[in-house]
Every structure is written in C-alpha cells, then in structure tokens.
C-alpha cells in the first residue's frame, strides 16, 4: 500500500488582504506539505458572496506568489455548491440536520432565560419537537427555516498536533447553524465536505477554531469519513500582549512596500512560537528541514516588527545576486552587490549606495587640515597599485605620510571618496569607485 502523503489546505476568505496571521497559517500548511513531499492546496472560502470580492481572490494569489508559497491546486467553495447540497441531503436523510424557525430575537430571549436559570445558553432543540404538521403550517406562512446540525452527546476528543489531547462535551454545545434561511452556507459544514473531498490529511489553523473542530469532528463521522489530523496554532500577539491593530491588520502589500523581503517574513513566522531559534534564510525551502508541529508551543507567538526589520537586514546580507538582480537598479553587478549587501537594511537602499560609487557625490566641507590631508591622499592615490588592495595601500601610505590613524585617518577619506560618513566597507568600495573617480574626488575635497 502506498503511503498517504500530507495534504494541507490554506482556506482564506477573500474578504480582505492576507495579514500576518493568515500568512503564518499558509506557511505552516506549506511547510507541513513540503516536508512530507505532499500537496499544499488553496481553498477560497467564498460562500459569503456579499463580503467576498474577486479583487481579494486575485490579491491572495498574488500575495502567495510573492511569498513563494505556490499552491499545488486551487478550489473555490462557490464552485462546489452541488457537492454541499448532496452531503446536506445525506445528513438530512440520516436525521443529522434539521430545520429551525426561531428568529434571532427569540433565540436571544431563550439564551437570556437559560443564563438567568444558571444554565449554559445552548440551543434547546425546540425545533426538533415540531411535528410535521406544525412545520407545514409554518412553511405555509412563508417562513423559511434555517438549518442546524444535530450533535450527538458522545464525548469529543482528539489529539491535537500542537495542543495535545483535547476534550469537549457535546451535551454542552449548541447544535450549530449550518445553513441560513436563504439557503446560503455557513462556514462549518462546507469546510468538512471539502476536507473530505480533497482528502485533506492535516487541518492547520488558528486556535480560535478549536471549538469548531469539536463540532466538525462529528460532521466527519456523520458523513462516514475519517477525520484529518488537526493542528491549532497559538495566536499571534504583538510585543506588548495583543497584536496591535496595525500589526494585526497589516497586509502583505504594506509589508512589501516597507521593503521587507518575503524570506524574512517567512523565516520569522516559521519560528516564532516554536522552540527553534529565528534564523535568516535565503529561500523559503530552507525552512522545511527544521519544521515539526511538535516544536510549536501553546503560548502565544510574539510578532515583533522590530525583529522583522532586523531579520530583513540579515536576510539581505545572505541573498545571492541572482535572488535580487531583477529588482536592482541598472548597473549593479554581482561585485557591487557583494560590496553593498552587508550594509543594507532594505533593498531600496541599494540605489543610494550605488550612487556613492557612480557619483556624483557631495564634496565635503573640510577644514584646512583635512583639505591638506585630502591633497596628500590624492597624490598617494596616483602612485598606488590599483590592481591589488588599493584601500589598504592608500591608508598605509597616508598613515606613514601624515601620522594619522583611526577615525582621523578613515573618516575624512570616506567622506571625500563617497560623500557619506558611513557605508559599506571601503576596502570593497574603493576598487569599484576606481582610480580616476577616486583621484578626482580627493582633489575636489582638497579644494
Ligand atoms: N475560512 C476559514 C477562516 O479563514 C477557514 C478556517 C479553516 O481553516 O478551516 O477562518
């Protein structure tokens, strides 16, 4: 018998841009599938026609593409209503779904009464006691029912891949509404039908879905299917507790516009909330090897934008030229990239750094001493062997000639040669600036 590979699905609702929370879910789905040579599927949860938009569907695909989390297949719930209808009929025939006629107001009164009596505010199943006649006369008044799934009272338990053993008492839960009076679907049942149909082996999602899982496990059983494994990830929080509104709502587009590399975002999201250290990677595939559900903790995962910014810099420092060449300004070749890379915090800074090589640069306003020093430097630069290590040779010559050392030696040179008081290693920059430009800049600084 061939071994069943992991099949995961990422199931966003196209009602907004992907934010850090869903990206983490998508990433973990992708990692779990890739770690096992399995499949990562995209399921567009667009049963809510009023709130779903085509633009958001496109944005989800674009965002996943930018992140490099490319799905092996895609389904849309709005294409699958016939499948849901058929499963619904099966459940109806088996007595596992039933029509209810209560209005929202009636239900809220019932809940208030239950609470007043110190009882859990669960649905009293009054609709189950309606006779066929009562139902017909309700239907005759034009009332259309909504539908609930009938839970059985058996204890519900599963071994969550992140949270460990979970237990729920079905008798303390309301039969969930699965379909509205207008025939539209709520999330719970279609998700189960799809998970069965798509042979999903692992459902990975946030811990806010834990009680949904309790209910959905009974739906899998009612449909005669084996339930997948479940992994409920702890929620993401910000540095001071809750994820701030900005951090929580920040979409992929905004993250990209801030100059964050997808690898940096993925490297952070793959490891926060786990027992593993956050390390920069050059490509998302490098995260696969260390992935294990068992490393994920139950404590909230802390998302820190400052940590992301730092990780972004560390990521750039290890990206090869090929990974960035298409996004670099014209003229930056591999040698320039390797020279400027260690100083970048975002790729957008590359243009300004390249300008310090290409020029023109601002001539520094030196005092008399520094002007004389720049004049010596210009002369020394003319006699250097530029084919070897010109920076070491230039500084050694000037040290001997002027007695300057440390900052008084290096800073005026950097200023004169690049127009900046900081930047990439001069040893790497000077050969790129080249003899002629270097001499001209030093002469200009000498005044
Ligand atoms: N569309 C649901 C959500 O975004 C999917 C939940 C699930 O993964 O089952 O919350």
């Amino acid at each position: 018998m061939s071994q069943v590979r992991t099949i995961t699905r990422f199931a966003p609702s196209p009602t907004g841009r992907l934010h850090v929370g869903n990206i983490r879910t998508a990433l973990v789905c992708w990692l779990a599938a890739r770690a096992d040579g399995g499949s990562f599927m995209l399921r567009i949860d667009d049963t809510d026609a009023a709130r779903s938009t085509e633009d958001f569907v496109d944005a989800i695909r674009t965002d996943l593409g930018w992140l490099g989390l490319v799905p092996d297949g895609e389904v849309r719930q709005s294409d699958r209503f016939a499948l849901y209808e058929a499963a619904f009929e099966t459940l109806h025939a088996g007595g596992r779904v039933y029509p209810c006629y209560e209005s929202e107001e009636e239900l809220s009164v019932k809940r208030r009464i239950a609470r007043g009596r110190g009882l859990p505010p669960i649905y009293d199943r009054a609709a189950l006691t309606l006779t066929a006649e009562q139902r017909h006369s309700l239907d005759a008044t034009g009332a259309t029912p909504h539908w609930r799934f009938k839970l059985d009272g058996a204890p519900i338990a599963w071994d969550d891949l992140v949270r460990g053993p979970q237990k729920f008492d079905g008798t303390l839960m309301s039969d969930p509404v699965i379909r509205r009076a207008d025939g539209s679907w709520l999330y719970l049942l279609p998700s189960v039908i799809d998970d069965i149909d798509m042979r999903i082996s692992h459902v990975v999602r946030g811990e806010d879905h834990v009680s949904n899982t309790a209910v959905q496990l009974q739906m899998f059983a009612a449909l005669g299917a084996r339930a997948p494994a479940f992994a409920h990830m702890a929620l993401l929080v910000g540095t001071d507790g809750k994820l701030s509104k900005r951090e929580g709502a920040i979409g992929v587009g905004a993250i990209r516009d801030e100059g964050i590399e997808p690898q940096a975002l993925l490297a952070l999201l793959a490891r926060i909330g786990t027992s593993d250290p956050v390390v920069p990677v050059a490509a998302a595939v490098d995260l696969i090897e260390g992935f294990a559900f068992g490393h994920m903790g139950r404590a909230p995962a802390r998302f820190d934008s400052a940590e992301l910014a730092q990780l972004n810099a560390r990521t750039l420092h290890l990206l090869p030229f090929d990974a960035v060449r298409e996004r670099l300004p014209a003229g930056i070749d591999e040698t320039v990239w390797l020279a400027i890379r260690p100083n970048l915090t975002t790729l957008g800074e590359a243009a300004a750094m390249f300008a310090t090589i290409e020029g023109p640069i601002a001539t520094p306003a030196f005092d008399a001493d520094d002007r004389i020093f720049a004049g010596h430097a210009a002369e020394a630069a003319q006699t250097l062997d530029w084919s070897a290590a010109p920076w070491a040779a230039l500084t050694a010559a000037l040290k001997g000639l002027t007695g300057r050392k440390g900052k008084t030696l290096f800073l005026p040179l950097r200023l004169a040669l690049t127009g900046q008081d900081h930047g990439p290693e001069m040893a790497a920059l000077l050969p790129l600036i080249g003899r002629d430009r270097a001499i001209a800049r030093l002469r200009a600084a000498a005044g």
Side-chain angles (χ1 to χ4, degrees):
M1 214 173 92
S2 70
Q3 204 195 332
V4 180
R5 296 279 180 203
T6 297
I7 305 177
T8 57
R9 85 303 193 270
F10 171 51
S13 305
T15 54
R17 288 295 288 266
L18 298 183
H19 53 71
V20 287
N22 350 97
I23 298 166
R24 179 164 166 254
T25 304
L27 172 62
V28 174
C29 288
W30 183 84
L31 287 171
R34 291 288 171 270
D36 189 39
S39 308
F40 164 66
M41 305 294 291
L42 173 62
R43 186 183 87 200
I44 302 289
D45 280 7
D46 59 350
T47 53
D48 185 347
R51 293 179 58 229
S52 303
T53 75
E54 214 44 46
D55 283 352
F56 285 134
V57 175
D58 287 341
I60 288 167
R61 294 189 193 117
T62 308
D63 290 346
L64 288 177
W66 178 71
L67 289 160
L69 306 179
V70 181
D72 299 308
E74 177 185 319
V75 302
R76 289 180 71 142
Q77 289 198 317
S78 57
D79 291 337
R80 299 165 65 83
F81 290 140
L83 193 68
Y84 306 155
E85 204 65 57
F88 178 81
E89 283 315 320
T90 307
L91 293 174
H92 193 201
R96 291 304 296 269
V97 293
Y98 61 96
C100 302
Y101 294 82
E102 292 93 344
S103 67
E104 205 28 72
E105 294 75 52
E106 281 172 76
L107 291 170
S108 109
V109 169
K110 283 186 187 207
R111 283 193 292 266
R112 223 175 311 131
I113 293 172
R115 278 202 203 91
R117 292 195 188 134
L119 298 169
I122 57 177
Y123 177 58
D124 61 6
R125 291 184 162 167
L128 273 180
T129 62
L130 292 174
T131 62
E133 244 166 47
Q134 285 170 315
R135 277 207 303 274
H136 287 146
S137 56
L138 278 165
D139 288 341
T141 65
T144 41
H146 56 275
W147 296 80
R148 288 184 188 262
F149 175 78
K150 190 171 166 230
L151 294 170
D152 70 28
I156 303 167
W158 78 94
D159 206 358
D160 196 275
L161 294 171
V162 175
R163 298 167 60 83
Q166 303 292 299
K167 277 201 175 75
F168 278 80
D169 182 347
T171 61
L172 296 178
M173 299 169 78
S174 286
D175 289 342
V177 177
I178 49 150
R179 199 168 187 180
R180 300 185 189 89
D182 65 4
S184 64
W185 298 98
L186 282 118
Y187 149 77
L188 285 168
L189 182 62
S191 181
V192 169
I193 297 168
D194 288 334
D195 287 339
I196 296 169
D197 183 64
M198 295 166 73
R199 301 173 192 280
I200 298 302
S201 65
H202 292 70
V203 169
V204 180
R205 54 194 183 187
E207 67 181 11
D208 48 329
H209 280 287
V210 166
S211 56
N212 285 340
T213 298
V215 167
Q216 288 180 320
L217 280 171
Q218 291 212 354
M219 295 179 173
F220 281 102
L223 290 167
R226 220 180 103 160
F230 285 89
H232 289 96
M233 297 186 290
L235 295 184
L236 278 186
V237 296
T239 35
D240 45 358
K242 270 176 57 187
L243 205 56
S244 74
K245 228 184 178 154
R246 190 188 158 278
E247 287 172 328
I250 185 170
V252 175
I255 295 173
R256 183 172 39 189
D257 293 348
E258 279 176 16
I260 299 296
E261 300 297 314
Q263 297 93 325
L265 182 61
L266 296 178
L268 184 67
L269 292 176
R271 297 292 183 260
I272 51 174
T274 75
S275 48
D276 303 316
V278 174
V279 287
V281 293
V285 288
D286 299 340
L287 295 164
I288 296 170
E289 201 182 310
F291 172 77
F293 284 115
H295 294 188
M296 302 179 88
R298 288 193 60 173
R302 216 159 275 277
F303 178 81
D304 180 355
S305 336
E307 189 179 6
L308 178 59
Q310 269 179 22
L311 190 62
N312 197 55
R314 292 166 64 208
T315 302
L316 285 167
H317 304 168
L318 49 79
L319 287 186
F321 181 57
D322 277 345
V324 288
R325 69 192 309 162
E326 277 161 24
R327 291 188 295 139
L328 287 173
I332 299 191
D333 60 15
E334 183 161 17
T335 317
V336 174
W337 170 246
L338 295 177
I340 63 176
R341 176 178 87 161
N343 284 73
L344 295 173
T345 60
T346 65
L347 197 72
E349 295 159 357
M353 275 184 210
F354 187 46
T356 67
I357 297 171
E358 291 279 283
I361 61 157
T363 303
F366 278 167
D367 62 15
D369 264 6
D370 280 345
R371 283 208 299 275
I372 293 168
F373 174 69
H376 288 311
E379 272 167 41
Q382 290 183 68
T383 54
L384 282 186
D385 174 6
W386 279 82
S387 64
W391 175 250
L394 178 66
T395 51
L398 286 169
K399 207 168 173 179
L401 199 67
T402 66
R404 288 199 188 203
K405 55 183 182 187
K407 203 173 163 192
T408 56
L409 173 69
F410 299 122
L411 185 59
L413 281 177
R414 179 183 282 282
L415 276 167
L417 287 163
T418 68
Q420 304 286 326
D421 60 5
H422 64 278
E425 286 290 331
M426 287 303 299
L429 280 188
L430 191 54
L432 299 171
I433 293 169
R435 181 178 190 275
D436 294 349
R437 274 190 299 226
I439 294 169
R441 290 177 190 183
L442 291 167
R443 281 193 181 141

